[in-house]
Each structure stands twice: as C-alpha cells, then as structure tokens.
Amino acid sequence: MGARIRKFMRVLRDDLQAACDHDPAARNRIEVALGYPGVHAVWGYRFAHALWRRGGLLRLPARLFSQFVRALTGIEIHPGASIGPRLFIDHGMGVVIGETAEIGADCMLYHGVTLGGTSLEAKKRHPTLGNGVVIGAGAKVLGPVIIGDDARIGANAVVLDDVPPESTAV
C-alpha cells in the first residue's frame, strides 16, 4: 500500500476516533462508520477537497460530489474549505462550512452551525477556527473572524467579531 493511501487511511481512522471520543453514545467504530452522517460528511469533504486542490477541470467534480454528500447527510462543506484532523460534527443536520473557512485540529460542531461569509468579494470571507474549538447548536459564525484555540461558542450565538483563545462567546 502506498504512503498516500496509508496516510489517508490514518486520517479516516482519526476521524472515527474523534467521534468515539466526543460522543458518549458511540458504542464502537463500526457503528460510527456506518451510522454517523457527520463522519460521512467529513469523509466526503476530504475526498472532494483532494480533487479541489488539484484545480482545473477537477473543481467541477469536487463541487458536484460535495453536493451529493450534502444531499445524503444534510451537511454542506465546500471542498475549498481547509479542515484539520479529527473534526467531529455531532448530529450535523444543517451545518454549512463556506469555501474560505479554516478549521483547526480537534474541533467539534453541533447541528445547525454555519461558518458563513459576509462578503460577495473573492477574498477570505469565512471564519478561521483554532484547535479544540467547540461550536454549539445553531450558532452562526460569520465573516473572516478568528476563533482562538479552545474557545467555546454557545448554542444559537451569532459571532461577528474575533473570540480570544480559551474564551466563551454566547
């Protein structure tokens, strides 16, 4: 097995483990792999993102595949977004992650979260999340704001400004 495939398989295993670590209802990796739409959406993103990074004619299939995953999971992740290892999306329905969003390692998003833009210009227009960020159900983080490492965003919060590391925004 090639080094790239081994690395990709390690990333998929880490995504499974993140779900098991963050969800006390997760009984085992098989259940998570087969029944967790948040995990399916992240895996679909990882494939679409690999196509997106190659650019050119592969960007259309990347977008189409991401929309197929959206139809299956109810979670929309633009293939141009940058997502670190071990993202866990719990319940997931209605999550939207925009094209220029950046998500660090070990983050957790609940259902209904939007990492959205506030500009129509072709520039950085979506949030950047540090490592270990948790965003509660229904929260909207809008614009090119920075959410620091280990910050928490409360359910239904609307965040339009930067949030310092290890802080809570509600």
Side-chain angles (χ1 to χ4, degrees):
M1 191 182 310
R4 273 190 189 178
I5 293 174
R6 279 193 302 274
K7 181 181 177 188
F8 190 68
M9 294 304 291
R10 186 173 37 253
V11 168
L12 299 183
R13 280 192 303 272
D14 285 350
D15 290 336
L16 275 178
Q17 190 59 49
C20 292
D21 291 346
H22 285 97
D23 187 356
R27 289 174 187 79
N28 57 60
R29 286 181 170 191
I30 293 172
E31 177 185 28
V32 171
L34 296 175
Y36 276 54
V39 171
H40 301 154
V42 170
W43 286 349
Y45 154 80
R46 295 202 189 286
F47 176 75
H49 183 68
L51 294 176
W52 185 267
R53 284 184 312 163
R54 294 180 189 270
L57 295 175
L58 291 178
R59 289 208 167 167
L60 177 60
R63 285 288 282 154
L64 295 176
F65 185 75
S66 73
Q67 291 303 300
F68 172 73
V69 172
R70 175 184 178 241
L72 290 177
T73 64
I75 299 167
E76 181 172 347
I77 306 174
H78 192 286
S82 177
I83 297 177
R86 298 175 301 278
L87 170 65
F88 177 51
I89 301 174
D90 196 10
H91 300 288
M93 184 60 74
V95 168
V96 176
I97 300 172
E99 177 182 12
T100 63
E102 299 174 50
I103 301 174
D106 302 306
C107 292
M108 184 171 173
L109 309 178
Y110 286 92
H111 58 281
V113 167
T114 298
L115 302 180
T118 57
S119 171
L120 298 178
E121 296 177 37
K123 62 179 186 177
K124 172 75 170 141
R125 59 191 187 281
H126 298 94
T128 298
L129 308 185
N131 299 321
V133 172
V134 176
I135 302 184
K140 310 303 179 213
V141 184
L142 305 174
V145 298
I146 297 173
I147 309 302
D149 291 350
D150 299 310
R152 303 290 182 256
I153 308 297
N156 293 314
V158 177
V159 178
L160 302 173
D161 294 310
D162 293 353
V163 175
E166 299 179 19
S167 297
T168 300
V170 292

